[in-house]
């Protein structure tokens, strides 16, 4: 099994994360997003619009998963993390994750009410590499 440090290193090399939420009918909804802005232990931080469908779904049901993969010519590696997603709208969280170019998405800047931080807390993981899969606790 890979160490937590190796898993985090793998995630940090990816440009895209796939985020899954649960809709009002109990079906999974998947979306590609930029990789996490910050990783702290088993917490992963993303940005999105407060008004987005995804943020609204997480407010109603915090169950979530995120998926990362790397596909080479002869090797595929994938990692799914399952856990919960919080929608953070406090000023401190928003300032910590903010980047200069974000005004392209959030016109009113870091205090834009339509800007929020998604905080994913991983509990379990499933890793695939070299034709082998394994599940393990990630917390």
């Amino acid at each position: 099994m890979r160490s937590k440090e190796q898993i985090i290193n793998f995630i940090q090399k990816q440009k895209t994360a796939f985020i899954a939420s649960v809709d009002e009918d109990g079906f999974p909804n998947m979306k590609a997003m930029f990789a996490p802005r910050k990783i702290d232990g088993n917490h992963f931080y993303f940005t999105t619009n407060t008004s987005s469908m995804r943020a609204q779904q997480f407010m109603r049901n915090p169950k979530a998963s995120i998926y990362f993969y790397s596909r080479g010519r002869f090797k595929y590696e994938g990692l799914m993390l399952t856990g919960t997603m919080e929608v953070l709208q406090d000023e401190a969280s928003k300032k910590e994750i903010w980047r200069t170019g974000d005004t392209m998405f959030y016109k009113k800047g870091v205090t834009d009410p339509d800007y929020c931080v998604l905080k994913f807390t991983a509990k379990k993981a499933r890793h695939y590499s070299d034709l082998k899969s394994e599940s393990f606790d990630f917390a």
Side-chain angles (χ1 to χ4, degrees), residues 33-81:
M33 291 181 68
F34 292 118
R37 289 271 174 102
K38 176 184 170 187
I39 301 172
D40 182 18
N42 66 326
H43 302 291
F44 299 80
Y45 297 83
F46 302 86
T47 63
T48 196
N49 295 88
T50 311
S51 62
S52 72
M53 180 180 78
R54 201 77 48 220
Q56 297 303 307
Q57 287 175 344
F58 289 130
M59 286 182 204
R60 288 191 298 273
N61 184 343
K63 289 183 179 175
S65 68
I66 57 178
Y67 188 80
F68 303 92
Y69 79 96
S70 174
R71 182 176 163 220
R73 189 166 180 180
F74 299 106
K75 181 176 176 151
Y76 179 93
E77 183 173 1
L79 174 73
M80 178 182 67
L81 300 172

Side-chain angles (χ1 to χ4, degrees), residues 17-44:
F18 294 89
I19 310 283
S21 56
V22 180
D23 70 15
E24 56 280 351
D25 295 321
F27 289 97
N29 287 208
M30 183 77 60
K31 176 183 179 167
M33 291 181 68
F34 292 118
R37 289 271 174 102
K38 176 184 170 187
I39 301 172
D40 182 18
N42 66 326
H43 302 291
F44 299 80

Side-chain angles (χ1 to χ4, degrees), residues 5 30 49 62 64 70 78 88 101-102 109 119 126-127 132 135:
E5 186 177 292
M30 183 77 60
N49 295 88
S70 174
L88 306 178
D102 286 346
K119 177 186 177 184
R126 183 150 176 91
H127 179 255
K132 290 183 229 123
S135 297

